[in-house]
Amino acid sequence: MTPPQEQAGISATALSEETTYQDIPLVDLAAQQREVQGQVDAGLGHIFSHTAFIGGEAVTRFEQDYAQFLSSGHCVGVGNGTDALELALRACGIGAGDEVIIPANTFIATAEAISLTGARPVLADVDPTYLLIDPEAVATAITANTRAIMPVHLYGQTAFVEQLTPLAQSCGAVIIEDAAQAQGATRFGQSAGTLGDIAGTSFYPGKNLGAAGDAGAVLTNDDQLATQVRMLAAHGSRSKYVHERLGRNSRLDAIQAVVLTAKLERLAHWNELRRQAAARYEELLTGVAGVALPQQAPGNHDVWHLYVVQVQDRDRVVAELNAAGIGAGIHYPYPVHLTQAFAHLGYKAGDFPVTERAAGRILSLPLYPHITREQQLRVVDELMGVVQQ
């Protein structure tokens, strides 16, 4: 059985008890930290000496730099990725009685953010090649109550937003991107997170751009939506003690902004190293019986947040790889509609066959910017030995 922390997408190296048996971790955060340590130490020294913990120059700088990196009009730092999605939804006026279409193949936070607004998640199946939301399935899921479509840029890919846009326009819905796994990915040259009306992203430590704790951001080119998000994230207030709406407290703190700024300066290079590692896996695994490799969609320039293969008898394969010191994981073993938390939606097993089949076969191999060819050779050797038993 996959450990709960891996089911939630938590990197194995984020928890010290996970690292003792894994010679090759799923994600190596320590290597990233060593690279940025000097810059982070200097930035934190400034924060602590000036006691500028909430807001201030460090947060403003990161927001401006990340917006520029993506060519987005606005970046609003918030507390975490789930908050980012909920605030994006609320800024668009989505609430009780509304429906939001999402892929069945996603982390539960996508659906959770919708439910927290009072709206209803409506699931659509994914395509069998890329496991991204299927525009044809979205078309059949639209009802008179559809207010938003939320594509998820899963595994470092970019969903086919240009195919979803006319569907959203046909029913007066907005497109809210879940860009938590795609920092730096593009589709036809345009950054994930800037393809729809508004987007939420996560800077959880294991992401391509990860903080030293929880953090997130909302991205949009719409001035009014950006203003609404800032207000909602600050207790519904644009000026002190003047509260226009019922909001919440969700702020990107200055300490996380320092870490993110240091890593952002290296993100393009780190993403390129991920692409090279993905290409190496493809070279080593092409033609290996029993292993189905991920594909890159035409028009996409993926950033390979995860390298997800498909195998038979997946749970056994993961267990044996872990026992051999390979930090393999599963993203995600339980589709949203088959979790107890969303049983009330009324879906049943068999409703989303592509998602359900993939959930029993997907396997994430170790991939991070600092992985070496020798490490990948060992991963492939162990994988081949297990799947060909």
Side-chain angles (χ1 to χ4, degrees), residues 183-212:
Q183 291 106 354
T186 61
R187 180 152 182 80
F188 298 113
Q190 187 172 350
S191 295
T194 69
L195 299 163
D197 297 282
I198 194 169
T201 194
S202 167
F203 301 126
Y204 182 80
K207 305 299 186 188
N208 288 39
L209 180 60

Side-chain angles (χ1 to χ4, degrees), residues 287-308:
V288 173
V291 181
L293 302 184
Q295 306 295 313
Q296 182 167 246
N300 270 7
H301 197 41
D302 298 340
V303 293
W304 299 98
H305 172 61
L306 298 167
Y307 192 87
V308 179

Side-chain angles (χ1 to χ4, degrees), residues 260-345:
L260 291 168
T261 296
K263 291 187 176 183
L264 179 59
E265 293 177 9
R266 297 159 174 82
L267 181 58
H269 176 60
W270 285 353
N271 281 343
E272 184 55 36
L273 292 177
R274 286 175 179 270
R275 294 185 184 105
Q276 293 174 17
R280 195 175 298 130
Y281 271 137
E282 183 175 20
E283 172 192 348
L284 295 169
L285 288 168
T286 294
V288 173
V291 181
L293 302 184
Q295 306 295 313
Q296 182 167 246
N300 270 7
H301 197 41
D302 298 340
V303 293
W304 299 98
H305 172 61
L306 298 167
Y307 192 87
V308 179
V309 301
Q310 295 189 45
V311 297
Q312 297 286 354
D313 199 11
R314 190 271 319 285
D315 290 347
R316 176 187 66 82
V317 173
V318 170
E320 293 194 23
L321 287 175
N322 288 166
I326 307 299
I330 307 173
H331 304 85
Y332 299 97
Y334 307 113
V336 171
H337 65 292
L338 299 183
T339 64
Q340 184 177 350
F342 284 97
H344 66 278
L345 295 179

